[in-house]
Amino acid sequence: MAQYTRISGSVGLITLKNPPVNALSAVVRQGIVDSVERALGEPEVKCLVICGQSGKFCGGADIREFGKKMTGPPLIPVFHAIEAAAKPVVAAIEGIALGGGLELALGCHYRIAHSKAKLGLPEVTLGLLPAAAGSQRLPRLIGVPAALDLITTGRHVTAAEALQLGIVDQVTDHNTVDAAVKFALSVAGQSLDARRISTFPCPRLSNLDAVFEAAMQKVRQAARGAIAPVACVQAVRAAATLPYAQGLEREKELMATLFTSGQARALQYSFFAQRAVGRWSMPSGARWDTSKPKPIRKAAVIGLGTMGRGITVGLAQAGLSVVAVETQEKQLMEAKQAVSGMLERGAKKRGVSPPLGNISYSSNIKTVGDVDLVIEAVFEDMALKKEVFQQLSAVCRPGTFLCTNTSGLDIDDLASQTPNPELVVGMHFFAPAHVMKLLEVVYGPRSSPQAVATAMQLGKVIGKVSVAVGNCQGFVGNRMLSPYLSQANFLLEEGATPEFVDQVLEEFGFAMGAFRMSDLSGLDVGWRVRKAAGLVVPGKPARMRQGCRYSPLGDLLCEQGRFGQKTGSGWYQYDKPGSRVAKPDPWLHSFLEEYRARHGLVARRIDHQEVLERCLYSLINEGFRILEEGIAAGPEDIDVIYVLGYSWPRHRGGPMFYADMVGLTRVLERLEFYHQAHPDVPSLQPCNLLRKLVASGTPPIHRWREVIKKVHSQL
Ligand SMILES: CCC/C=C/C(=O)SCCNC(=O)CCNC(=O)[C@H](O)C(C)(C)COP(=O)([O-])OP(=O)([O-])OC[C@H]1O[C@@H](n2cnc3c(N)ncnc32)[C@H](O)[C@@H]1OP(=O)([O-])[O-]
């Protein structure tokens, strides 16, 4: 609702009330209309102030209403009524003014913001554009280049930047509503002619075409197939070239195409999924709301390789005290230098001082005796990790949580090295660990709910989106990646090239195709895992392992020392080791031809559809297996992991959402088709849960949990 009160005798105060972010629901919109009408009708009222309750101005349109039947007054006429008012209307912006919230403020005659407020038009991140006249008013207020930047990226700006850009008229460190009331009284009675943004001409640009061409090129490059950023540029162009009323019409048209698009649905699903993963649960029944985390003030990181350094930076930046341990003195010194450099660069970007003093470095593991939690990040070798866990058990004080940054080793096996397995959880970071948003928190069968809650909470403190998952080989992310990569390899055996497979996957929206990604992460990583799993055994039939089809192509490249970017060659060739520019490699093409000839394989023409279906559906099938086994609690967990950790295009929601969009019946049919053609590839065999979902009438994704529950209760 919107509450109307009179203060100081002559100020009408409208307070938006719709927790948690005062979104503009139908009731709120109606409340604004009624309050404005009432204030304008009261002769004693000289001016109006609009604010939001609980220190939050407004988080924009109510996303929960999207996709439902529209009720209540639409936003544009509400904002026009405010702008047309004969009494000054001042927006008192505390906390947030985002999307429709900022558009509401732009409809007001003046804007006063608290110094800690954040403002922005993030609609593009939800697959939309600022279609409550934001795309038309903002360029008129701050000019085309700045408006293009804010609208196409959706980034939030601080109050200070908003003042500099001209979005707000004043910034205060004190009570924003008081400041706004004072300000409103000071301008009461003055002409409002120069305050109505919709009447402003858009600031002229001499090189208008060039600016829009450059903007379009930039968004197309960054968008990876997303349509909203392109529509945002088109809407701003309308503001720059058309009268306001016609610009609004164009904004409406563009919004109509976006609003019902699959991309908007995917992005909005992704928004809620990212929040839903915080409400985690374990098969034991332990849950986020019944498990209390322990506060962590001091943590230790063991092993200062690439991952350990990134984790140390993340912890220190969040204000924690960190003991960073590396047993080799030389590596310790190198790590200290690297970590300090990362902290300094990060601090410079944020305009703060680097938290160098938060870290103490040591080559002795005994220095971790007084920490609350340890994150082990040594080399991915089970024997080494076990040794570290035994040492930690001996030196840590009772109750210290022991976490491992393994990307797939058995958490329970590691926990068995300690007298308190309930204190052990996995914290699987993604490289670079201080940048990537995802954290897989992995619980073993003996991890306590408190240990999981603590790791989840710590993730939040350091700015991660944490997803709780069960213990299995590769956890969720890497386990699903395995069939995807296998299919990519099989496609090479059957006639494709790495560049063709990558092109198809990149056109789908991945930042990198399977082979460019493997070259970046290093082919030797998987080789080591396969060796440890006994798959790389000389003398065994080359293309079969443990009764299943196996492609040794990656192993053969590693035997040649082709580990990817770091060695200057892998699936592609590079100018020099460490170079990032992948070029098709004639050597690899002849190697593939020779390989096929040796194994009696005849190259055939493989089309886009086959590449996509075999790579993606095998990955999705594994996702269904993970849900069936209860390793992930719901499809949102998997989708968040893939969007944030594996560059799955956000505008496609995630693999499970994508399966829902394609249609489960279709996914099942195609898997059956490919499994028939490749009976020796078990990952193509449709899993039971997928069959059950189809048999139960292919319910939409938000109802899958009901079917999953039934499947679990039958086990
Ligand atoms: C149509 C014309 C054009 C206009 C379009 C728009 O305005 S589009 C909109 C443009 N606006 C945006 O894109 C802003 C989107 N919102 C955000 O970016 C962030 O939520 C935040 C910065 C406002 C607060 O961050 P934070 O880390 O402090 O908190 P948090 O993120 O955990 O959220 C807390 C709770 O609030 C919920 N909720 C949030 N917003 C909305 C909403 N608009 N609606 C409904 N609900 C919303 C959220 O789901 C969560 O609920 P839960 O899980 O507790 O049940």
Side-chain angles (χ1 to χ4, degrees):
M1 63 178 264
Q3 188 183 50
Y4 178 71
T5 44
R6 275 260 295 280
I7 54 170
S8 307
S10 57
V11 183
L13 179 70
I14 301 172
T15 309
L16 312 185
K17 292 189 165 182
N18 182 17
V21 298
N22 300 321
L24 297 163
S25 63
V27 178
V28 173
R29 298 195 303 274
Q30 188 60 55
I32 299 174
V33 170
D34 296 344
S35 307
V36 170
E37 223 176 84
R38 186 167 158 197
L40 295 182
E42 289 179 351
E44 304 84 348
V45 170
K46 303 285 177 247
C47 50
L48 284 82
V49 168
I50 303 182
C51 66
Q53 77 167 359
S54 310
K56 287 175 188 156
F57 179 68
C58 176
D62 196 325
I63 311 171
R64 292 166 297 195
E65 287 185 350
F66 290 175
K68 295 186 186 149
K69 195 172 169 283
M70 165 93 180
T71 58
L75 284 174
I76 291 183
V78 175
F79 300 165
H80 279 155
I82 292 171
E83 196 187 52
K87 300 175 185 179
V89 186
V90 181
I93 301 170
E94 287 178 308
I96 44 165
L98 298 173
L102 180 55
E103 291 174 297
L104 164 63
L106 293 175
C108 297
H109 305 114
Y110 299 94
R111 289 155 291 281
I112 311 289
H114 189 267
S115 53
K116 296 221 166 88
K118 291 272 166 64
L119 299 88
L121 293 175
E123 286 87 341
V124 69
T125 62
L126 298 169
L128 306 174
L129 62 89
S135 74
Q136 303 306 299
R137 281 202 178 96
L138 193 65
R140 284 179 161 77
L141 183 64
I142 65 170
V144 166
L148 269 174
D149 169 38
L150 292 199
I151 292 174
T152 58
T153 61
R155 76 181 176 92
H156 300 179
V157 296
T158 60
E161 189 180 350
L163 183 66
Q164 198 191 4
L165 288 169
I167 298 176
V168 298
D169 302 287
Q170 205 179 83
V171 174
T172 178
D173 284 325
H174 305 290
N175 184 306
T176 317
V177 177
D178 288 351
V181 167
K182 203 168 146 204
F183 183 90
L185 285 168
S186 76
V187 293
Q190 290 181 13
S191 164
L192 294 170
D193 289 350
R195 303 302 314 175
R196 297 189 174 98
I197 300 172
S198 72
T199 65
F200 294 5
C202 198
R204 282 196 173 282
L205 278 176
S206 55
N207 54 345
L208 186 125
D209 284 337
V211 167
F212 279 102
E213 245 165 62
M216 197 55 105
Q217 210 177 354
K218 194 169 161 197
V219 299
R220 281 198 207 278
Q221 253 169 21
R224 296 199 264 142
I227 54 175
V230 173
C232 285
V233 176
Q234 291 169 322
V236 176
R237 190 180 178 106
T241 53
L242 298 173
Y244 178 74
Q246 284 177 36
L248 265 193
E249 277 304 307
R250 183 75 181 122
E251 181 191 90
K252 191 173 159 190
E253 266 167 40
L254 290 164
M255 180 65 161
T257 56
L258 295 181
F259 200 68
T260 49
S261 71
Q263 292 198 2
R265 261 193 293 152
L267 286 158
Q268 287 152 29
Y269 161 84
S270 210
F271 175 85
F272 287 115
Q274 213 163 297
R275 279 139 189 96
V277 295
R279 296 186 280 271
W280 55 272
S281 64
M282 287 159 66
S284 63
R287 292 161 48 97
W288 64 284
D289 51 352
T290 50
S291 314
K292 202 162 176 265
K294 256 195 171 172
I296 302 299
R297 290 187 188 90
K298 189 167 184 182
V301 178
I302 314 291
L304 299 180
T306 314
M307 292 308 286
R309 292 175 193 186
I311 297 168
T312 303
V313 169
L315 293 169
Q317 276 176 343
L320 276 93
S321 233
V322 190
V323 184
V325 178
E326 170 61 64
T327 49
Q328 308 292 316
E329 285 289 350
K330 186 169 168 277
Q331 268 110 312
L332 181 69
M333 284 306 115
E334 282 170 7
K336 184 174 176 181
Q337 221 175 5
V339 167
S340 302
M342 285 150 86
L343 285 174
E344 271 157 10
R345 282 192 296 278
K348 199 170 161 199
K349 248 194 218 161
R350 290 198 301 274
V352 294
S353 46
L356 301 174
N358 288 5
I359 309 172
S360 63
Y361 294 87
S362 170
S363 57
N364 186 350
I365 202 165
K366 289 190 181 138
T367 49
V368 306
D370 66 341
V371 304
D372 308 308
L373 177 145
V374 182
I375 302 174
E376 163 280 304
V378 301
F379 200 64
E380 191 77 346
D381 175 326
M382 191 51 143
L384 177 62
K385 284 186 189 282
K386 281 186 174 174
E387 199 184 310
V388 171
F389 265 67
Q390 285 161 9
Q391 289 173 1
L392 288 172
S393 307
V395 299
C396 289
R397 66 177 176 206
T400 305
F401 295 102
L402 300 183
C403 310
T404 170
N405 174 49
T406 174
S407 56
L409 296 176
D410 187 347
I411 302 292
D412 197 36
D413 200 4
L414 269 177
S416 67
Q417 304 304 306
T418 78
N420 298 101
E422 72 281 4
L423 296 173
V424 175
V425 283
M427 286 183 84
H428 177 205
F429 288 83
F430 290 73
H434 60 303
V435 176
M436 292 286 281
K437 290 292 273 180
L438 178 65
L439 177 69
E440 267 184 324
V441 170
V442 189
Y443 54 82
R446 292 178 285 173
S447 307
S448 71
Q450 187 179 47
V452 177
T454 304
M456 292 291 285
Q457 176 63 22
L458 180 60
K460 200 169 175 184
V461 168
I462 61 176
K464 305 293 176 201
V465 176
S466 313
V467 186
V469 302
N471 182 33
C472 65
Q473 168 102 50
F475 315 137
V476 169
N478 286 341
R479 172 169 161 183
M480 287 170 67
L481 201 63
S482 173
Y484 164 88
L485 293 177
S486 294
Q487 286 304 318
N489 277 267
F490 294 156
L491 288 162
L492 296 193
E493 292 187 339
E494 292 165 39
T497 60
E499 40 281 20
F500 175 67
V501 173
D502 281 354
Q503 182 204 333
V504 173
L505 295 170
E506 285 161 23
E507 277 170 12
F508 176 78
F510 281 103
M512 272 183 217
F515 295 106
R516 285 216 296 139
M517 188 190 72
S518 298
D519 270 3
L520 172 69
S521 25
L523 271 61
D524 52 323
V525 180
W527 192 35
R528 236 186 353 257
V529 173
R530 293 192 296 275
K531 275 189 197 168
L535 291 166
V536 187
V537 184
K540 284 227 170 173
R543 296 184 51 249
M544 291 296 278
R545 295 284 189 282
Q546 300 161 0
C548 305
R549 180 173 171 186
Y550 176 84
S551 171
L553 283 172
D555 304 337
L556 295 171
L557 291 194
C558 285
E559 279 168 22
Q560 304 259 348
R562 296 177 70 108
F563 291 171
Q565 281 184 11
K566 59 182 156 193
T567 57
S569 65
W571 296 108
Y572 292 91
Q573 60 175 330
Y574 301 83
D575 284 342
K576 55 177 191 304
S579 159
R580 293 183 162 233
V581 186
K583 290 190 205 141
D585 189 347
W587 178 91
L588 191 102
H589 296 158
S590 7
F591 160 78
L592 286 176
E593 274 166 32
E594 277 165 31
Y595 173 87
R596 291 185 199 114
R598 203 170 342 124
H599 293 281
L601 298 165
V602 180
R604 63 185 173 84
R605 219 192 133 265
I606 291 167
D607 62 13
H608 281 66
Q609 183 185 345
E610 181 171 353
V611 172
L612 265 193
E613 289 182 342
R614 281 179 57 185
C615 291
L616 301 190
Y617 293 178
S618 58
L619 176 148
I620 287 166
N621 198 28
E622 199 61 35
F624 280 116
R625 285 206 180 95
I626 281 169
L627 289 174
E628 187 174 313
E629 291 168 21
I631 296 291
E636 297 86 355
D637 299 277
I638 295 176
D639 286 336
V640 168
I641 287 172
Y642 260 79
V643 166
L644 295 184
Y646 293 83
S647 95
W648 183 282
R650 184 187 283 273
H651 60 270
R652 293 190 190 270
M656 308 321 283
F657 181 86
Y658 179 68
D660 183 48
M661 290 281 270
V662 169
L664 299 186
T665 314
R666 165 95 187 153
V667 175
L668 176 61
E669 270 170 21
R670 297 308 289 163
L671 278 168
E672 275 171 340
F673 170 82
Y674 289 119
H675 188 236
Q676 226 164 35
H678 307 276
D680 51 359
V681 182
S683 60
L684 290 171
Q685 180 168 25
C687 89
N688 281 338
L689 177 61
L690 174 57
R691 288 188 188 287
K692 288 215 162 107
L693 282 162
V694 172
S696 58
T698 62
I701 193 162
H702 64 269
R703 293 199 28 232
W704 289 5
R705 278 177 197 256
E706 295 161 27
V707 179
I708 296 168
K709 230 181 183 173
K710 252 191 223 159
V711 171
H712 289 167
S713 66
Q714 285 158 8
L715 289 177

